[in-house]
Amino acid sequence: MLITDVHAFIQHGYRDFIPHLSIDCAILGYHDGILKILLTAWPDLDGWCLPGGYISRTESIDHAAQRILEERTGLADVFLQQYHTFGQMNRVLPLEEKPEFHDNPLYRAIRGSWLDARTVSIGYYALIDFSRATPRPDEFSRECRWWDIRELPPLLFDHPLMIKTALDTIRKDLQVHPVGLQLLPEEFTVPELQRLYETLLNRTLDRRNFMKKMQQLGILIRHDRTRSIGSHRSPYLYSFDEERYREVLTDQRNMSF
Amino acid sequence: MLITDVHAFIQHGYRDFIPHLSIDCAILGYHDGILKILLTAWPDLDGWCLPGGYISRTESIDHAAQRILEERTGLADVFLQQYHTFGQMNRVLPLEEKPEFHDNPLYRAIRGSWLDARTVSIGYYALIDFSRATPRPDEFSRECRWWDIRELPPLLFDHPLMIKTALDTIRKDLQVHPVGLQLLPEEFTVPELQRLYETLLNRTLDRRNFMKKMQQLGILIRHDRTRSIGSHRSPYLYSFDEERYREVLTDQRNMSF
DNA sequence: CCAAAAGTGTTCTCGGTACACCCATGC
DNA sequence: GCATGGGTGTACCGAGAACACTTTTGG
């Protein structure tokens, strides 16, 4: 479902969408050792937000999250995980205090509408390769772009908490679910995979122990070819053993680093 | 906030409560090696439900969950944890198919009201001592009582999934959070504590390893007195070292059994 | 004195961590 | 040949799992 007319959406959107309930997606993007997060900005406000949206009355919340992610990134069938529902009373309060909020015609239209109500938001996180996504702002936003996770702009609402909770959850889930299937190309080297883990966990890992761990998980298939990386020894190329990968996913043993 | 008049609530409840969004509480009760769950039944329907309720427009979702729990059990300040939000399209569908649903005047009043709408539900779980709770049905229910977790009655909606997810989450959280502070009397024996763990995890544990684990966590204080348990050696009485207990809670290391 | 439960200590194994040496590559 | 990063193996340590004997109590 596409929102073509912003003001029709403000006035009648509650016919198609559930009021008081929204979804916010912490879309983490990884590429070449850089971890970014997708944020959107509204006009005349200098704070940024997680991409969000509303739930159609005829779709599941998981479907709504997938749809929102696809609208913002162009990517479908992404691993997307519900992680927490945020329902504090003061979630959105700080916005009302901003003077910019009162001047802009868009926000004036929103005031008093179904959108101007206490809202509970369901948080989802996703992990994707940001080089494959093309960020697109939604109808309300002036901008939608990647931000380095280490240099975030000012954030609106309770979105700092949402991002922190998402990262904590991802790092915890990483112990159980070997990620990376979505984030790396078909063929990759172990140092590349290690760098992904190091970036997500925000700490360095021991090369030898990391290799041992991956070998005993058995989810990697080594190819004969290597990758040329300049004036160094060429690392082997690997692929995921997808079948074994799924076995490990269902297995509930933890992986620690 | 108390609902005094059921029909006023059906007609005007949306003024005070957020529509389309509810809370369901998986309230687990433990006592003497028995694990139970609190369920409510609606008139003329032979399926049971988790106790649930709506969120006041002026309270946080956590507060709403606490309130609902207190209304059903009389207990305040209970450890209550959000664990998942359920938003499938067909959550409530099976109810509409039941013939009993169409005959009862209560359900006829609900049809077409704000309550007869697609609803997303936030799941919370709690762990309490069921001997200290006095179950009370809500205004819609004909009964509210404990059921042994091993012998559950037929359940309505997606509540089987809710219960399964709650139990899975509790068992996972048990690895991190030493529970039991809420579920045991002030003074207890280690075998009693072990039985609590065994009941929650639904498997037996080794006495010696369990004792070692508790000792190295350091959350137990041994008293000089013992408890007389019949024709057997009298086990020592212990209390929780609450200060140390809180330290362990914040610590993120896992406890495995 | 006997049955049943409580209390305690040792061994084994596995996984995580720390650590050092050689190898390949391009300049 | 040298700098840089890739590939591999070993030693240690702590935690969990398996396991047996003694002690207490009431009948």
Side-chain angles (χ1 to χ4, degrees):
Chain A
M1 190 169 312
L2 248 168
I3 306 161
T4 47
D5 183 340
V6 172
H7 280 83
F9 177 73
I10 293 173
Q11 290 181 323
H12 310 299
Y14 61 87
R15 294 176 189 163
D16 294 325
F17 295 94
I18 298 177
H20 307 291
L21 192 55
S22 66
I23 283 177
D24 286 300
C25 296
I27 304 171
L28 278 300
Y30 174 86
H31 194 83
D32 277 351
I34 309 283
L35 186 63
K36 301 187 178 187
I37 189 165
L38 195 63
L39 297 175
T40 64
W42 294 359
D44 290 345
L45 284 173
D46 63 354
W48 292 70
C49 292
L50 293 180
Y54 293 90
I55 301 153
S56 160
R57 289 174 185 269
T58 59
E59 70 184 345
S60 71
I61 57 174
D62 287 352
H63 182 274
Q66 283 282 357
R67 178 178 50 75
I68 290 165
L69 183 138
E70 184 168 357
E71 285 170 7
R72 295 286 76 68
T73 65
L75 300 176
D77 287 326
V78 163
F79 177 71
L80 192 66
Q81 187 79 18
Q82 184 198 126
Y83 69 93
H84 193 74
T85 296
F86 299 86
Q88 288 307 113
M89 274 310 296
N90 54 359
R91 290 190 54 230
V92 175
L93 260 191
L95 181 62
E96 317 249 310
E97 292 161 5
K98 299 210 174 226
E100 308 92 316
F101 185 76
H102 298 275
D103 301 335
N104 184 292
L106 176 64
Y107 304 132
R108 277 221 293 272
I110 288 177
R111 300 196 78 177
S113 81
W114 69 286
L115 292 172
D116 182 25
R118 187 269 180 95
T119 300
V120 171
S121 190
I122 308 169
Y124 281 77
Y125 76 79
L127 276 172
I128 65 174
D129 179 341
F130 66 70
S131 72
R132 291 197 272 198
T134 40
R136 271 176 305 192
D138 65 27
E139 296 72 12
F140 290 95
S141 309
R142 59 172 163 85
E143 204 177 346
C144 177
R145 74 170 184 85
W146 295 103
W147 287 83
D148 191 302
I149 200 73
R150 295 161 304 186
E151 297 162 5
L152 294 180
L155 295 158
L156 294 175
F157 317 140
D158 57 349
H159 289 209
L161 174 64
M162 285 185 171
I163 292 175
K164 183 189 182 315
T165 309
L167 279 174
D168 288 348
T169 308
I170 287 172
R171 285 171 184 153
K172 215 175 288 175
D173 289 357
L174 198 62
Q175 311 292 86
V176 182
H177 307 302
V179 202
L181 191 50
Q182 314 257 354
L183 288 85
L184 290 175
E186 179 70 25
E187 296 189 331
F188 55 88
T189 69
V190 171
E192 285 164 4
L193 181 61
Q194 181 176 339
R195 205 144 78 108
L196 163 63
Y197 273 85
E198 290 181 333
T199 306
L200 286 173
L201 295 172
N202 197 29
R203 63 193 181 87
T204 56
L205 300 171
D206 184 90
R207 273 205 330 277
R208 297 154 283 196
N209 295 335
F210 184 80
M211 180 53 125
K212 220 185 307 175
K213 187 79 194 175
M214 287 301 142
Q215 278 170 343
Q216 77 190 40
L217 279 176
I219 56 175
L220 297 184
I221 299 171
R222 185 160 109 176
H223 298 209
D224 290 335
R225 289 171 302 120
T226 57
R227 166 164 297 168
S228 188
I229 56 161
S231 61
H232 310 294
R233 178 168 179 173
S234 308
Y236 288 103
L237 285 170
Y238 288 80
S239 302
F240 277 109
D241 181 340
E242 295 205 26
E243 191 179 344
R244 174 81 185 121
Y245 176 81
R246 281 177 220 299
E247 283 174 34
V248 175
L249 273 190
T250 48
D251 193 341
Q252 280 306 322
R253 288 175 316 191
N254 285 20
M255 2 188 314
S256 301
F257 287 98
Chain B
M1 192 168 309
L2 249 167
I3 306 161
T4 48
D5 184 340
V6 172
H7 281 84
F9 177 73
I10 293 173
Q11 290 182 322
H12 310 300
Y14 62 86
R15 294 177 189 163
D16 294 323
F17 295 94
I18 299 176
H20 307 292
L21 190 56
S22 65
I23 283 177
D24 285 300
C25 297
I27 304 173
L28 277 301
Y30 174 85
H31 194 82
D32 276 353
I34 310 283
L35 186 62
K36 301 186 176 187
I37 189 165
L38 195 64
L39 297 175
T40 64
W42 294 359
D44 289 345
L45 283 174
D46 64 354
W48 292 71
C49 291
L50 292 180
Y54 292 90
I55 300 153
S56 160
R57 290 176 184 268
T58 58
E59 70 184 347
S60 71
I61 57 175
D62 287 353
H63 182 273
Q66 282 284 356
R67 177 178 51 75
I68 291 163
L69 183 138
E70 185 169 357
E71 285 168 7
R72 296 286 76 67
T73 65
L75 299 175
D77 287 327
V78 164
F79 177 71
L80 193 65
Q81 188 81 16
Q82 184 196 127
Y83 69 92
H84 192 74
T85 296
F86 299 86
Q88 289 305 114
M89 273 311 295
N90 54 357
R91 289 190 54 228
V92 174
L93 259 193
L95 181 62
E96 317 249 309
E97 293 161 4
K98 300 208 174 229
E100 309 92 316
F101 185 76
H102 297 276
D103 300 335
N104 184 292
L106 176 65
Y107 304 132
R108 277 222 292 273
I110 288 177
R111 299 196 79 175
S113 81
W114 69 285
L115 292 173
D116 183 24
R118 187 271 179 94
T119 300
V120 171
S121 190
I122 309 169
Y124 281 77
Y125 76 80
L127 275 172
I128 65 174
D129 180 343
F130 65 70
S131 72
R132 292 197 272 200
T134 40
R136 272 177 304 193
D138 66 26
E139 296 72 14
F140 290 94
S141 308
R142 60 171 163 86
E143 205 179 345
C144 177
R145 74 169 185 87
W146 295 104
W147 287 84
D148 191 303
I149 200 74
R150 295 161 302 187
E151 298 162 5
L152 293 180
L155 295 157
L156 294 175
F157 316 141
D158 57 349
H159 289 209
L161 174 64
M162 284 185 172
I163 292 175
K164 185 189 180 315
T165 310
L167 279 174
D168 288 348
T169 308
I170 287 172
R171 284 171 184 151
K172 214 176 289 175
D173 288 356
L174 199 61
Q175 311 293 84
V176 183
H177 306 302
V179 202
L181 192 49
Q182 315 255 353
L183 288 85
L184 290 176
E186 179 71 23
E187 296 190 331
F188 54 89
T189 68
V190 171
E192 285 165 4
L193 182 61
Q194 182 176 338
R195 204 143 77 107
L196 163 62
Y197 272 85
E198 290 181 335
T199 306
L200 285 172
L201 295 173
N202 197 28
R203 61 191 183 88
T204 57
L205 300 171
D206 184 88
R207 275 207 325 280
R208 297 154 285 196
N209 296 334
F210 185 79
M211 180 53 126
K212 220 186 307 176
K213 187 77 193 176
M214 287 302 142
Q215 279 170 342
Q216 78 189 40
L217 279 175
I219 55 176
L220 297 184
I221 299 172
R222 184 160 111 177
H223 298 210
D224 289 336
R225 289 168 304 120
T226 57
R227 166 166 297 168
S228 187
I229 56 160
S231 62
H232 309 292
R233 177 167 180 172
S234 306
Y236 288 104
L237 285 171
Y238 288 80
S239 301
F240 277 111
D241 181 339
E242 296 206 26
E243 191 180 344
R244 175 80 185 121
Y245 176 82
R246 281 176 219 301
E247 283 173 35
V248 175
L249 274 189
T250 47
D251 193 342
Q252 280 304 322
R253 289 175 314 192
N254 284 20
M255 1 188 316
S256 303
F257 286 99

